[in-house]
């Protein structure tokens, strides 16, 4: 049987690979139902935008409306002890033949409290009724605009038509009555039992929304001109006039509305105003408000709503306002925090954080959250069934505004622990203590900024480009866009001190070079006060102030290394002095002197270099094919060319021809990676790769072919001492190939040509430890590699054999590929949008995925709802997750038709039992 096996095929190794490697994805910003960790993701087959989402009352179901006018019904299904969100049915409303698209274009959706039908308002003014879950249209119950206009005064009908249906609201006490609002201001109350209009309300302004009062005696209409009107629903009169004031039952009401600000002065604001007696606040959001709802008492016998919190879904974040505490503070969000409150510029992942460092970071973050409310997170439906994370992981994100955010990445949700700002070190146009949204006491209306999303940066030079955290010593190094490198240490208390400043001249006074980019940031003179947390104690300023492209920190040696497009330097942060600097510029490398803000010349040069390579390729191709001469000479030349090509194919049948980059074409000064190693080296020796491809990573393997441990890792008894007896090996990873050199001679040993074999280039690479899912006794170190095609490859060490390949990121998603960061245990994060991280795992053992349960209600034969467990609290929370209390009904609202349906089911069940007994 051996002769039938493929060369290199090892059944034992193949089985081991299945125990080590497995690809999984987990969206970190999926749809969340309630408590932290309770989240589900559903993906429509259609590539269309989701326009609306509506919960089915008292059911673990929801309906989505897409921009192609299709409706989709989703349900939570029990599977393997957890719940999954699955699509049950989809449906597109169609009109009669020849009807225009507006006849069935859905504009409003109302799930009825009976849980059996949906009401669909359309652009034509018609309202359709569809059954759930079948989506069957009840044509006999359609409300046409003509039927509504027959019940409206003739003079009003002549002035304006119904136009599109803007909003549908169910009566909170009478489920058979539906409030219908049309865009031009007409509002009618429709009685389904008698199939007629019982009340009509003649508005004079364009309608935006409707909201019922709890007892159903009044409702409020919101209008385009910034006004809102209260309408009484009188049994004695079919037509109602607006009220002048709002005083229900003698208790001061809460009036909450979105917008309503004067457009001339506040047209660019995104506000929600809350009015309670003499207290009024306009909450100013930094992104567009999508929707909001109020959490209040759901007790049927309660006289008042008694609101406790307001939940606001903004375009960029989720915000909860505590309406019980004085001043109405915000509640600290456990999820859906704004990852991109300022644009993310870099990421850094640290695995297995020591408990002491973890607690100190959390303590520093808690001191920053004193302005938040003490109210517990009010959305707490469902149960998180995922086991506790096996370790504590941090994801650090650098931002354009000069901040670094520390996220708890141990579990499914990314939870913000602490925010570090580097702005205080520098002089900027805005004082870090200033609040740009503060309004004077005499200003009206009183605006208050809420939320963390702030896309504007005072100075783009503040942007963080590189981060390096030593989890053992607590030292942190961050580097930025203007050549600034800050070294920090963790302090548990506020402190005021001077930040030492050292300049590193990477050009080393070479003549003929002139920096054309931005200036360095100006530093503050004298002591600077810093909050508890990571506090900078020294600043290294690179000259020229170019973007820092690489950073490394060795806490045991008290050294930090940094590189730019001009060179690299080594700094002793304990003695606060430069150890050495080295310029890496080539005499022809003028591109490095233009800076990141000068791109036109760079683009021209890149295009020129591309065309130059194309010309060289064409010329060499013509030379190989031959040119001119007689026929016999041409045939002879072609025959020799074919023979040479065959010989080349026999030697390397799958290798591509890669054009070597000249020193003139390559960006030689660009320092992409820096690496500290305690190893053997005979003398200082520079390695020049043949194709001059950029080097993206360096690694040293000890005598047992194990990567060298991190600084201080052995001292903390978390790693074995490296083998210093056997020969060490140096692995150099370029964009095009992997090459191993033996040390101390630095002689070539073996290589893997990635670009020549597969046509792709290395973008990210990291050593990852993979453990077997079958036994705890086996694990191995391999290379996790991301290419420019978006696929992830696992390559063995030290023999550089490809183990497995997975498609991970779309090759067109250049930003996603550039943002990817690997973890030490075979996971990864990358941005699928400016605000969403997607987590993936390559390991069978280290897998983080949501596992949660939401109690699914059951409908018994008598149509009364039962639950598998106590759900009063969860029901109370989910009951307010629509726009109004009218979206939901109590169990006793079931109509006679539903009861008849239940009795019919009982009769059928009884007949089935009789037939079984007869058989």
């Amino acid at each position: 049987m051996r002769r039938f096996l493929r060369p290199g095929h090892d059944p034992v190794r193949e089985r081991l690979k299945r125990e080590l490697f497995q690809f999984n994805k987990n969206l970190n910003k999926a749809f969340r139902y309630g408590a932290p960790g309770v989240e589900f993701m559903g993906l429509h087959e259609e590539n269309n935008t989701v326009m609306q989402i509506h919960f089915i009352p008292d059911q673990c179901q929801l309906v989505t409306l897409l921009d192609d006018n299709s409706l989709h019904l989703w349900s939570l299904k029990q599977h393997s002890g957890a719940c999954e969100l699955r699509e049950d049915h989809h449906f597109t409303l169609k009109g009669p033949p020849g009807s225009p698209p507006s006849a069935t274009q859905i504009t409003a959706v109302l799930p009825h409290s009976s849980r059996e039908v949906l009401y669909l308002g359309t652009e034509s003014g018609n309202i359709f009724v569809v059954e759930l879950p079948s989506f069957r249209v009840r044509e006999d119950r359609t409300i046409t605009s003509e039927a509504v206009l027959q019940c409206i005064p003739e003079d009003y009908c002549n002035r304006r038509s119904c136009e599109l249906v803007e909003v549908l609201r169910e009566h909170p006490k009478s489920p058979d009555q539906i409030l219908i609002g049309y865009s031009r201001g007409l509002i009618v109350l429709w009685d389904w039992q008698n199939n007629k209009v019982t009340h009509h309300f003649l508005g004079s302004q364009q309608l935006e929304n409707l909201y019922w009062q709890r007892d159903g005696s009044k409702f409020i209409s919101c209008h385009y001109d910034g006004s809102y009107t209260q309408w009484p629903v009188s049994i004695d009169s079919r037509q109602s006039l607006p009220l002048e004031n709002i005083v229900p039952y003698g208790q001061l009401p809460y009036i909450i509305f979105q917008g309503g600000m004067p457009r001339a002065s506040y047209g660019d604001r995104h506000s929600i105003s809350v009015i309670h007696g003499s207290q009024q606040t306009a909450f100013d959001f930094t992104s567009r408000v999508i929707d909001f709802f109020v959490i209040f008492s759901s007790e049927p016998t309660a006289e008042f709503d008694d609101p406790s919190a307001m939940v606001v879904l903004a375009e960029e974040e989720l915000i909860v306002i505590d309406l019980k505490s004085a001043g109405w503070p915000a509640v600290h969000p456990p999820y859906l925090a704004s990852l991109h409150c300022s644009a993310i510029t870099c990421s850094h992942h640290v695995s297995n954080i020591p408990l002491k460092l973890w607690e100190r970071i959390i303590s520093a973050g808690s001191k920053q959250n004193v302005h938040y409310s003490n109210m517990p997170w009010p959305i707490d439906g469902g149960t998180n069934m995922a086991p506790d994370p096996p370790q504590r992981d941090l994801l650090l994100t650098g931002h354009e505004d000069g901040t670094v955010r520390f996220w708890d990445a141990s579990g499914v949700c990314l939870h913000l622990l602490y925010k570090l700002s580097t702005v205080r070190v520098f002089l900027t146009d805005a004082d870090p203590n200033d609040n740009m949204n503060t309004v004077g006491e005499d200003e009206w209306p009183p605006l208050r900024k809420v939320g963390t999303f702030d896309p504007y940066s005072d100075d783009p030079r503040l942007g963080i480009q590189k981060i390096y955290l030593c989890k053992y010593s607590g030292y942190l190094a961050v580097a930025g866009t203007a050549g600034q490198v800050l070294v920090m240490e963790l302090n548990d208390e506020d402190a005021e001190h001077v930040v030492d400043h050292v300049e590193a001249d990477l050009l080393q006074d070479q003549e003929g070079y002139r920096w054309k980019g931005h200036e360095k940031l100006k530093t503050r003179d004298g002591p600077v006060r810093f909050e508890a947390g990571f506090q900078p104690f020294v600043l290294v300023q690179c000259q020229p102030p170019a973007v820092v492209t690489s950073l490394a920190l060795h806490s045991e040696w008290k050294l930090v290394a940094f590189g730019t497009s001009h060179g690299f330097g080594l700094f002793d942060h304990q003695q606060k002095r430069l150890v050495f600097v080295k310029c890496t510029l080539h005499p022809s490398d003028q591109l490095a002197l233009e800076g990141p803000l000068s791109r036109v010349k760079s683009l021209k040069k890149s295009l020129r270099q591309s065309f130059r390579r194309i010309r060289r390729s064409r010329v060499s191709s013509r030379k190989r094919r031959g040119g001119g001469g007689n026929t016999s000479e041409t045939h002879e030349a072609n025959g020799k060319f074919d023979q040479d090509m065959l010989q080349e194919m026999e030697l390397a049948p799958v290798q591509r021809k890669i054009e070597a980059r000249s020193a003139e074409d390559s960006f030689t000064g660009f320092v992409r990676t820096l690496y500290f190693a305690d190893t053997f080296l005979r003398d200082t020796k520079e390695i020049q790769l043949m194709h001059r491809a950029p080097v993206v990573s360096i690694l040293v393997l000890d005598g047992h072919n194990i990567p060298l441990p991190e600084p201080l890792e052995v001292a903390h008894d978390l790693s074995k001492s490296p083998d210093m007896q056997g020969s060490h090996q140096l692995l150099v990873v370029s964009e095009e190939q992997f090459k191993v050199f033996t040390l101390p001679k630095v002689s070539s040993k073996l290589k893997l040509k990635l670009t020549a074999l597969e046509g792709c280039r290395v973008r990210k690479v990291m050593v990852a430890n993979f453990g077997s899912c079958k036994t705890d006794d086996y694990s191995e170190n391999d290379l996790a590699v991301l290419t420019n095609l978006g696929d992830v490859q696992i390559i063995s060490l030290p023999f550089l054999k490809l183990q497995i390949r997975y498609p991970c990121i779309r090759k067109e998603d250049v930003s996603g590929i550039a943002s990817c960061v690997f973890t030490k245990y075979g996971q990864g994060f990358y941005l699928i949008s400016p605000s969403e991280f997607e987590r993936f795992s390559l390991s069978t053992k280290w897998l983080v995925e949501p596992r949660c349960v939401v109690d699914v209600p059951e409908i018994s034969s008598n149509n009364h709802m039962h639950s598998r467990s106590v759900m009063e609290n969860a029901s109370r929370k989910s009951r307010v997750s629509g726009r109004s209390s009218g979206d939901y009904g109590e169990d006793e609202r079931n109509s006679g038709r539903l009861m008849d349906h239940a009795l019919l089911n009982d009769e059928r069940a009884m007949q089935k039992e009789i037939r079984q007994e007869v058989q």
Side-chain angles (χ1 to χ4, degrees):
M1 293 296 293
R2 291 182 179 273
R3 61 192 184 95
F4 293 103
L5 296 177
R6 295 189 304 272
H9 181 78
D10 184 355
V12 176
R13 180 60 187 174
E14 293 300 318
R15 183 175 65 253
L16 182 59
K17 287 197 295 186
R18 289 192 294 270
E19 297 176 1
L20 294 173
F21 312 125
Q22 179 181 331
F23 182 74
N24 289 280
K25 275 190 176 183
N26 167 43
L27 187 68
N28 270 280
K29 289 193 71 174
F31 184 82
R32 288 173 169 83
Y33 266 69
V38 179
E39 65 176 53
F40 307 92
M41 186 177 73
L43 183 64
H44 295 86
E45 293 183 2
E46 301 81 1
N47 189 21
N48 294 90
T49 303
V50 178
M51 304 302 293
Q52 297 182 34
I53 301 177
H54 297 271
F55 284 95
I56 306 301
D58 299 318
Q59 295 291 293
C60 293
Q61 291 180 314
L62 56 88
V63 172
T64 56
L65 173 66
L66 305 188
D67 62 356
D68 64 352
N69 208 42
S70 63
L71 289 166
H72 301 255
L73 178 64
W74 301 82
S75 299
L76 287 179
K77 304 291 186 181
Q78 292 278 356
H79 178 71
S80 301
C83 288
E84 295 179 353
L85 186 63
R86 298 178 183 174
E87 183 177 0
D88 294 334
H89 302 284
H90 59 88
F91 161 77
T92 301
L93 184 63
K94 296 181 180 179
S99 61
S102 61
T104 55
Q105 184 66 43
I106 300 173
T107 56
V109 178
L110 172 63
H112 194 260
S113 60
S114 65
R115 301 177 289 273
E116 291 201 346
V117 294
L118 285 178
Y119 298 109
L120 307 176
T122 61
E123 280 190 3
S124 62
N126 298 330
I127 299 170
F128 296 87
V129 182
V130 297
E131 293 182 347
L132 290 176
S134 63
F135 280 130
R136 185 174 71 90
V137 180
R138 293 288 303 273
E139 296 181 359
D140 59 320
R141 300 190 65 181
T142 299
I143 306 175
T144 64
S145 57
E146 291 79 9
V148 172
L149 291 176
Q150 290 177 1
C151 306
I152 306 302
E154 192 171 326
D155 60 337
Y156 191 88
C157 297
N158 293 335
R159 287 189 292 111
R160 55 185 67 221
S161 64
C162 291
E163 277 204 350
L164 63 85
V165 178
E166 190 69 46
V167 61
L168 298 170
R169 291 285 181 254
E170 180 181 337
H171 195 288
K173 297 298 183 181
S174 302
D176 291 330
Q177 294 184 343
I178 303 297
L179 197 62
I180 306 171
Y182 296 93
S183 61
R184 288 198 171 182
L186 174 64
I187 307 168
V188 300
L189 186 62
W190 182 270
D191 184 358
W192 287 106
Q193 289 286 356
N194 301 307
N195 210 30
K196 66 176 184 179
V197 172
T198 61
H199 295 75
H200 61 268
F201 312 88
L202 307 180
S204 59
Q205 296 292 334
Q206 179 176 324
L207 183 68
E208 294 291 325
N209 213 334
L210 298 170
Y211 188 90
W212 277 108
Q213 190 167 296
R214 185 182 187 90
D215 62 354
S217 63
K218 309 175 186 69
F219 70 87
I220 293 179
S221 62
C222 308
H223 300 276
Y224 180 75
D225 64 347
S227 65
Y228 62 87
T229 307
Q230 183 177 9
W231 305 84
V233 180
S234 174
I235 301 177
D236 302 328
S237 174
R238 292 188 59 197
Q239 178 178 350
S240 296
L241 297 176
L243 295 176
E244 293 298 328
N245 55 2
I246 305 172
V247 186
Y249 308 112
Q251 178 166 320
L252 291 175
Y254 282 82
I255 303 297
I256 303 175
F257 55 86
Q258 175 185 344
M261 305 285 285
R263 286 192 176 89
S265 303
Y266 302 94
D268 59 341
R269 301 279 187 172
H270 312 285
S271 66
I272 293 180
S273 297
V274 180
I275 304 174
H276 182 232
S278 60
Q279 186 177 2
Q280 176 175 350
T281 299
F283 294 99
D284 183 19
F285 300 87
T286 54
S287 60
R288 184 171 62 94
V289 175
I290 304 298
D291 201 357
F292 76 94
F293 65 86
V294 178
I295 296 179
F296 51 83
S297 171
S298 64
E299 294 297 329
T301 58
E303 186 177 4
F304 305 107
D305 290 330
D306 191 21
S308 58
M310 178 176 64
V311 182
V312 182
L313 176 64
E315 195 170 45
E316 306 294 348
E317 57 189 322
L318 181 72
I319 300 168
V320 173
I321 304 297
D322 179 4
L323 298 179
K324 287 292 188 181
S325 302
W328 299 335
V331 182
H332 187 60
Y335 50 66
L336 287 183
S338 180
L339 291 172
H340 65 312
C341 43
S342 174
I344 296 176
T345 50
C346 66
S347 301
H348 176 66
H349 188 276
V350 187
S351 300
N352 204 9
I353 301 293
L355 178 60
K356 185 176 181 180
L357 176 62
W358 185 265
E359 291 176 342
R360 294 179 69 188
I361 292 175
I362 291 178
S363 176
S366 63
K367 295 177 181 178
Q368 297 177 336
N369 298 330
V370 293
H371 61 282
Y372 282 111
S373 166
N374 293 324
M375 170 186 282
W377 187 247
I379 306 173
D380 57 3
T383 305
N384 183 11
M385 305 294 292
D388 292 334
Q391 60 186 31
R392 295 167 293 273
D393 290 352
L394 276 178
L395 178 66
L396 283 67
T397 54
H399 298 264
E400 188 182 38
D401 63 352
T403 60
V404 178
R405 283 169 168 79
F406 292 63
W407 303 89
D408 179 1
S410 311
V412 174
C413 298
L414 287 180
H415 177 62
L416 181 62
L417 300 178
Y418 164 70
K419 183 185 76 171
L420 162 70
S421 177
T422 63
V423 178
R424 292 180 179 272
V425 180
F426 306 101
L427 288 171
T428 58
D429 295 336
D431 192 305
N433 296 316
D434 287 346
N435 186 348
M436 301 299 291
N437 293 81
T438 301
V439 179
E441 295 180 357
D442 297 333
E443 296 285 343
W444 188 263
L447 284 167
R448 188 206 302 172
K449 179 183 175 182
V450 288
T452 60
F453 177 71
D454 186 5
Y456 306 106
S457 174
D458 295 331
D459 194 326
R461 296 175 296 173
L462 290 169
I464 305 297
Q465 297 296 329
K466 295 294 176 181
I467 306 171
Y468 199 106
L469 171 66
C470 176
K471 60 185 179 183
Y472 303 111
S473 65
Y475 283 113
L476 172 69
V478 297
T481 303
Q484 70 270 28
V485 179
L486 285 166
V487 185
M488 311 182 186
E489 59 184 346
L490 192 56
N491 192 340
D492 297 328
E493 302 294 336
D494 295 357
E496 186 174 3
H497 59 261
V498 176
V499 178
D500 292 315
H501 181 210
V502 178
E503 290 206 354
D505 181 13
L506 298 181
L507 292 181
Q508 296 177 295
D509 298 325
Q510 295 193 33
E511 298 180 357
Y513 292 99
R514 185 171 62 89
W515 172 246
K516 303 175 184 178
H518 50 250
E519 296 180 352
K520 68 176 183 179
L521 286 163
K522 295 180 179 179
T523 57
R524 293 180 181 271
D525 296 328
V528 182
R529 184 163 187 82
F530 298 100
E531 297 177 339
F534 286 95
Q535 300 173 354
F537 61 88
V538 65
L539 165 67
V540 181
Q541 178 62 56
C542 299
Q543 290 289 8
V547 175
V548 177
T549 57
S550 56
L551 185 68
L553 179 69
H554 200 295
S555 298
E556 190 172 3
W557 298 344
K558 311 299 183 187
L559 296 175
V560 59
F562 50 89
T564 71
S565 56
H566 306 111
F568 63 92
L570 187 64
F571 181 77
D572 185 332
H573 62 76
Q574 184 177 40
Q575 300 185 23
K576 299 178 182 178
R577 66 178 183 87
L578 281 170
V579 178
F580 72 88
V581 293
K582 180 176 177 60
C583 180
T584 56
L585 277 180
H586 189 272
S588 63
D589 202 353
Q590 293 295 322
L591 181 61
L593 297 174
E594 295 178 359
L597 305 181
S598 176
R599 296 301 184 193
V600 178
K601 293 182 180 179
S602 304
L603 177 61
K604 289 181 179 179
K605 182 171 182 179
S606 299
L607 291 174
R608 186 165 59 249
Q609 292 171 352
S610 299
F611 283 120
R612 187 181 302 154
R613 282 194 289 268
I614 292 173
R615 283 199 302 270
R616 284 202 299 265
S617 179
R618 288 176 176 174
V619 170
S620 61
S621 178
R622 284 197 297 268
K623 289 181 178 179
R624 288 195 298 268
R625 288 194 297 267
N630 55 37
T631 305
S632 60
E633 290 174 346
T634 303
H635 284 303
E636 183 180 353
N638 288 341
K640 188 176 186 304
F641 171 73
D642 292 340
Q643 185 179 0
D644 294 340
M645 288 297 294
L646 286 173
Q647 290 177 353
E648 185 177 351
M649 289 176 63
E650 290 172 0
L651 292 174
V654 293
Q655 290 192 18
R656 292 168 172 80
K657 180 66 175 178
I658 305 299
E659 285 285 342
R661 308 183 191 195
S662 66
E664 181 181 358
D665 287 350
S666 59
F667 201 174
T668 57
F670 196 101
V671 180
R672 292 176 181 260
T673 184
L674 293 164
Y675 179 73
F676 286 105
D678 183 7
T679 185
F680 307 101
L681 198 62
R682 176 169 294 180
D683 52 21
T684 302
K685 191 169 185 178
E686 181 176 319
I687 304 172
Q688 178 63 66
L689 300 179
M690 182 181 299
H691 294 299
R692 296 183 178 271
V695 176
V696 297
S697 182
I698 302 171
L699 180 69
V700 172
L701 306 177
D702 69 5
H704 291 150
N705 297 323
I706 298 175
L708 296 183
E710 297 179 18
L712 295 177
E713 190 173 14
V714 176
H716 285 75
D717 297 326
L718 296 174
S719 176
K720 294 181 179 179
S721 299
D723 178 25
M724 307 300 285
Q725 302 299 321
S727 175
H728 285 195
Q729 300 179 79
L730 171 68
L731 171 64
V732 178
V733 181
S734 73
E735 285 188 356
E736 298 179 359
Q737 67 180 16
F738 303 78
K739 197 163 186 178
V740 175
F741 300 86
T742 58
L743 297 177
K745 294 183 177 180
V746 194
S747 56
S748 178
K749 183 178 181 181
L750 75 155
K751 62 182 175 181
L752 171 63
K753 295 182 178 180
L754 187 70
T755 306
L757 295 174
E758 302 184 16
C760 56
R761 296 181 183 273
V762 177
R763 286 292 178 259
K764 303 283 183 175
V765 62
M766 184 174 179
V767 176
N769 182 266
F770 294 91
S772 171
C773 63
K774 300 293 185 180
T775 176
D776 294 333
D777 298 332
Y778 183 80
S779 67
E780 65 180 41
N781 294 302
D782 299 288
L783 290 177
V785 180
L786 175 69
T787 72
N788 64 322
L789 301 182
D791 61 339
V792 175
Q793 302 183 10
I794 298 176
I795 298 175
S796 66
L797 287 175
F799 302 110
L800 303 182
K801 299 294 184 181
L802 177 63
Q803 301 300 297
I804 203 161
R805 180 190 294 108
Y806 301 109
C808 182
I809 311 175
R810 294 182 300 106
K811 64 179 180 181
E812 298 83 8
D813 188 3
V814 179
S815 299
I817 294 173
S819 66
C820 181
V821 55
F822 287 111
T823 76
K824 190 177 180 181
Y825 295 98
Q827 298 181 41
F829 294 84
Y830 70 95
L831 289 170
I832 60 173
S833 76
S835 63
E836 295 174 299
F837 267 115
E838 185 157 55
R839 185 201 300 258
F840 62 89
S841 175
L842 306 172
S843 172
T844 59
K845 188 173 182 179
W846 297 94
L847 178 62
V848 177
E849 60 180 354
R851 184 174 179 82
C852 40
V853 170
V854 174
D855 295 319
V856 181
E858 295 177 341
I859 305 297
S860 65
S861 59
N862 62 359
N863 204 53
H864 284 174
M865 186 175 65
H866 299 277
S867 175
R868 296 194 180 104
S869 65
V870 179
M871 286 190 60
E872 285 80 1
N873 189 44
S875 177
R876 174 173 59 86
K877 301 303 181 184
S878 64
R879 197 179 296 274
V880 298
S881 59
R883 284 196 173 186
S884 72
S885 60
D887 288 347
Y888 306 94
E890 304 298 328
D891 300 336
E892 59 268 24
R893 298 181 188 173
N894 300 317
S895 63
R897 178 182 61 81
L898 295 177
M899 187 60 70
D900 292 341
H901 175 73
L903 292 174
L904 182 61
N905 286 339
D906 287 346
E907 183 180 353
R908 289 173 179 171
M910 187 177 299
Q911 291 175 355
K912 183 178 179 181
E913 291 179 3
I914 293 173
R915 286 195 299 268
Q916 290 176 350
E917 290 179 0
V918 171
Q919 293 173 356

